[in-house]
Amino acid sequence: MSEDNRPFGSRTRAVRAGTVRSQFNEHSEALFLTSSFVFDSAEQAARRFAGQEEGYVYSRFSNPTVRMFEQRLAELEGGQDCLATASGMSAILTLCLAHLKAGDHVVCGSNVFGATVQLFSNVLARFGIEASYVQGSEPAAWRAAARSRTRLLFCETPSNPMMEVTDLEAFASLGRELGALTVVDNCFCTPVLQRPLQYGVDVVMHTGTKFLDGQGRVLGGALVGRADFIRETLLPALRTTGPSLSPFNAWVLLKGLETLPLRINAQSASALQLARWLQSHPAVARVLYTGLESHPQHALAQRQQHGFGAVVAFELKATQSEARPRAWRLIDAVRLLSITANLGDTRSTITHPASTTHGRLAPEVRQRAGISESLVRIAVGLEDVEDLQHDLERGLQA
Ligand SMILES: *Cc1c(COP(=O)(O)O)cnc(C)c1O
């Protein structure tokens, strides 16, 4: 979206991109809550079904409200096109159904979202697709995990909750070398803070459920990339299998995107302030946040991100046996932060990864991933940062 070939900034795109008005010339985007569309004639119906004429047919694969969301998100990511899905997980599923077949191999970061690992290991494995997991973000380790049938490289950066950063340029270049599709889960940064396509990554995957909605209301997901891949490879798979985004959810997400740049920048600024304060707190052993100079990949994050995001993790000072009760006492003492594993909301949340999001992992796997019993993760919302600090101080003294 541009005028006189001068590209618009994120804030302009967030409120303007993708809008298409109906015959009524409404200012705010319309919600087309309809499952199907009517044709002028039998001949037009036939042309639409055959794909010989542009136009809407049936909302499993074409709906104007969903399309507006797709185009707005594509513009924000700097991608040619976008395909919306019912959730973040169904975005990954659709991608795998469309791109992989039995005998193919996937290389995936070991630090990705838990359900992503379960999808590869428990579901797709039954259909003959194998996955290997790589610790850390060293390109050499990723290359070593590749096989002749490797068709997909999947990473999430920064990762949750350890905030490991993957070098996007090196990741994309390895994908090209191996002839494998590179996919980045861009949940934590959103297109406002990081645009992986700029670095040569093939596909950006999103959950709409977190920062894109930003207000904890709906599930949604999306895949952004080259137009031919989206329209000719991904869309046919979605059209047939049906994990499609509801027009209602698309409308909520479309509205969510309008305030995304303002929200994520404000939430990141508060997160940095809290991370610095936590780092100097006597009850805190260490803080994991890419915005701190103490983060081992701070320079890389600074190079490829336009900000550090709203999620901060920290470890409390405690002996081995005291660690879990210490973390739980903090969580139980706070009154403002919500105890929930969700993130990306306007309301700040707090969680204990070792007993919730990562509780089902075997203890040694959890330990290898660095998720200790004293680790607490907060996702900073839009409250006054002084109020959040006061609330956390109460917990740290508990
Ligand atoms: C929540 C989440 C997902 C899955 O998204 P859903 O919309 O819940 O299916 C994927 N990746 C990350 C990083 C997430 O936080």
Side-chain angles (χ1 to χ4, degrees), residues 87-89 113 156 185 187 207 209-210 219-220:
S87 65
M89 291 318 301
F113 189 63
E156 190 180 314
D185 182 336
C187 169
T207 164
T209 318
K210 312 291 167 56
L219 287 160

Side-chain angles (χ1 to χ4, degrees), residues 39-49 52-53:
F39 310 109
D40 294 338
S41 65
E43 197 204 335
Q44 186 187 46
R47 281 201 309 271
R48 290 265 177 97
F49 269 87
Q52 292 159 348
E53 179 185 301

Side-chain angles (χ1 to χ4, degrees), residues 24-67:
F24 301 115
N25 221 15
E26 65 282 351
H27 190 202
S28 181
E29 293 80 2
L31 166 51
F32 290 94
L33 206 52
T34 178
S35 51
S36 68
F37 297 82
V38 177
F39 310 109
D40 294 338
S41 65
E43 197 204 335
Q44 186 187 46
R47 281 201 309 271
R48 290 265 177 97
F49 269 87
Q52 292 159 348
E53 179 185 301
E54 285 280 311
Y56 294 100
V57 175
Y58 187 63
S59 287
R60 181 167 4 94
F61 49 88
S62 59
N63 176 280
T65 310
V66 174
R67 196 66 191 132

